[in-house]
Amino acid sequence: GIQVEQSPPDLILQEGANSTLRCNFSDSVNNLQWFHQNPWGQLINLFYIPSGTKQNGRLSATTVATERYSLLYISSSQTTDSGVYFCAVEGMDSSYKLIFGSGTRLLVRP
Amino acid sequence: KAGVTQTPRYLIKTRGQQVTLSCSPISGHRSVSWYQQTPGQGLQFLFEYFSETQRNKGNFPGRFSGRQFSNSRSEMNVSTLELGDSALYLCASSLSEGVGAKNIQYFGAGTRLSVL
């Protein structure tokens, strides 16, 4: 089945710094979503981005489907950005099922 | 519009017992999926239901089962609980217009199950 790898596994930033999180996937996908898991466990939708580029405030994401990777950019990080960021994909042959990466744990220090 | 609602939020059970978790999707969403999150295995897909039919199932033993009702609400059941079933169980809903269609999944806050 499709494999999803995220890097780096852990990231520590000073407030105000920028960061780039990466997601590599091993096969073509129908769906790619980025999530932020808050300290209480809820997965918050950040982007639905199977291809192209999107921006939402300080966050932006780019997926290059032909090269099978996606990037999540966080600019001017804030302490509230702390948490775990997940990339999840729905493969062409795995309908209705999201395959998650292992996540990037981000800590933003004041 | 209300989000995905999962109940209960926390559960403590003992080995051998069974448990039922509930999920109410976003109004108008007909697809409900369930995921298990553990520190060791990460987020893993359990099953997905659409219009009361299971369309896909993950690699979990038969002790894990689910169903969906005509109002799209879903329940999952775990029988004969084991210590390893301790996890955060997350439910997601989506419009699910079909394979390849835009299928954004929205997650609930989860049910944290502890098996003692």
Side-chain angles (χ1 to χ4, degrees), chain A residues 83-98:
Chain A
V84 184
Y85 290 80
F86 288 100
C87 165
V89 304
E90 180 182 352
M92 294 289 190
D93 64 346
S94 55
S95 311
Y96 321 119
K97 173 173 84 171
L98 285 177

Side-chain angles (χ1 to χ4, degrees), chain B residues 15 20 24 30 46 51 71 86 100:
Chain B
R15 277 180 299 175
T20 299
S24 294
R30 296 166 65 190
L46 280 156
S51 292
N71 63 357
S86 294

Side-chain angles (χ1 to χ4, degrees), chain A residues 6-11 21-22 83-86 102-106:
Chain A
Q6 290 187 244
S7 60
D10 296 280
L11 189 57
L21 282 57
R22 187 178 179 100
V84 184
Y85 290 80
F86 288 100
S102 54
T104 292
R105 186 175 300 274
L106 174 65

